[in-house]
Amino acid sequence: MRFTITSTSLFTVATCALLSSARPTQNKRALFGSDTANGMSDVLFGDEDCKDVAVIFARGTFDSGNIGVWVGPQFQAALQSQINSLAFEGVDSTAYPATLQTYLGEGGSDGGAQSLASTVTDYVNFCPDSSVVISGWSQGALVAHKGLSLLTPEVQAKVVGLVTFGDPNKLFTNEPVPSNVAFKTECIGGTTLDPLCSDIPADFKFPTSLDDITGPFSQLPHFATGVAETAAAASLVLRFPGQLLASRSAFLDALTDKTKMQRLLLTPEHFTYGNNGLTSDAADFVAALPAVVGK
């Protein structure tokens, strides 16, 4: 299956498909007050004592701050309800811009993975008695896998868990998880599955036009919960066409076969992990890890 399309028509079609559902944006500080967490940095800069458990989280494509609004804050809150001594940190947003280009072109941001590995290394060296959990959603899951693979054996030994949401790892390099790291991946299956992490059924209808790919984004604002997600959904609808154009080479390459095309199936369900109970399930997993129990 091939699409013949110019960059200009790509931008035009995608824009027309999405702008109808966009809403006005507001002051970012007012909308995304919970999209940033720097718990590990606070420890490293001496503002806080070492925590027994440190979790570093990589947000998904398009998400704001360093933990975003769709999954990171909900996962942080769920962990805080169970772990008393916790440092929660987002991967540096300067090193990891979380764009569509780094998702399609790099299979998850290389800069984000390097930043994650650097932060974990610094924290482990500063707090050698702490246990570390690495986590990520969507492209952030790819960053989590790649960042984990960059750690030295000595630092990796302090990583007790890897937790991912909507993880498309198998669609890219399928990074293996070290045997000493407990792994939990949350993925929406069933009739309204998340195609980025689910096994696609034989009768699944793959897109045959750009409308099939961009169309689901028009529904995203209806899946949003709360002010921050509603604003993020409207912003994403506006930004998606431009990012699609910026990553057109990788995008067009992904249209050449079904395995790569699956990487493009970003449905509204993919944005519901923070509101469907799966962040709480993931927090239960972390809290039950032998190195974390009682902390």
Side-chain angles (χ1 to χ4, degrees), residues 53-294:
V53 181
V55 177
I56 186 164
F57 179 83
R59 71 200 190 284
T61 307
F62 310 113
D63 224 347
S64 62
N66 66 4
I67 63 170
V69 301
W70 295 102
V71 178
Q74 296 87 337
F75 187 39
Q76 179 185 21
L79 289 167
Q80 288 173 331
S81 71
Q82 300 200 54
I83 301 172
N84 293 320
S85 182
L86 173 71
F88 193 90
E89 175 100 0
V91 176
D92 177 49
S93 59
T94 301
Y96 172 41
T99 63
L100 193 61
Q101 173 58 36
T102 57
Y103 169 65
L104 290 175
E106 300 177 16
S109 169
D110 292 331
Q114 292 163 3
S115 178
L116 184 153
S118 177
T119 300
V120 171
T121 299
D122 290 345
Y123 194 88
V124 166
N125 289 336
F126 194 78
C127 302
D129 295 327
S130 297
S131 298
V132 176
V133 174
I134 294 174
S135 182
W137 163 61
S138 193
Q139 179 179 179
L142 299 174
V143 171
H145 282 285
K146 293 172 78 170
L148 177 59
S149 73
L150 296 176
L151 299 175
T152 65
E154 294 77 18
V155 173
Q156 191 185 97
K158 295 293 185 177
V159 178
V160 299
L162 172 66
V163 176
T164 61
F165 304 87
D167 187 350
N169 184 41
K170 67 181 181 180
L171 301 180
F172 289 88
T173 57
N174 202 19
E175 290 280 349
V177 179
S179 59
N180 66 297
V181 177
F183 180 43
K184 174 75 168 178
T185 185
E186 301 284 5
C187 182
I188 299 170
T191 55
T192 56
L193 55 79
D194 179 354
L196 291 190
C197 55
S198 294
D199 292 328
I200 297 296
D203 61 350
F204 184 83
K205 183 181 178 182
F206 278 87
T208 58
S209 70
L210 278 173
D211 282 343
D212 290 342
I213 295 172
T214 61
F217 275 89
S218 66
Q219 300 301 314
L220 185 57
H222 302 296
F223 282 73
T225 299
V227 174
E229 288 187 10
T230 299
S235 175
L236 193 156
V237 167
L238 287 170
R239 292 162 54 204
F240 182 59
Q243 291 214 14
L244 201 61
L245 179 60
S247 59
R248 59 187 177 275
S249 295
F251 173 77
L252 292 173
D253 179 60
L255 295 175
T256 59
D257 66 70
K258 287 186 176 181
T259 299
K260 290 183 178 180
M261 188 181 293
Q262 193 173 340
R263 302 171 183 175
L264 301 174
L265 303 182
L266 197 59
T267 63
E269 286 76 20
H270 187 66
F271 292 81
T272 63
Y273 287 95
N275 304 314
N276 61 9
L278 291 181
T279 50
S280 294
D281 183 67
D284 290 343
F285 168 80
V286 173
L289 292 171
V292 178
V293 171

Side-chain angles (χ1 to χ4, degrees), residues 38-67:
N38 296 306
M40 295 170 74
S41 294
D42 288 341
V43 172
L44 292 172
F45 283 108
D47 296 326
E48 294 283 346
D49 294 332
C50 287
K51 305 302 181 183
D52 292 333
V53 181
V55 177
I56 186 164
F57 179 83
R59 71 200 190 284
T61 307
F62 310 113
D63 224 347
S64 62
N66 66 4
I67 63 170

Side-chain angles (χ1 to χ4, degrees), residues 5-29:
I5 187 165
T6 66
S7 60
T8 300
S9 61
L10 171 63
F11 181 80
T12 301
V13 172
T15 300
C16 291
L18 297 173
L19 287 182
S20 61
S21 64
R23 303 178 186 179
T25 57
Q26 302 175 40
N27 179 272
K28 182 176 179 180
R29 181 179 296 276

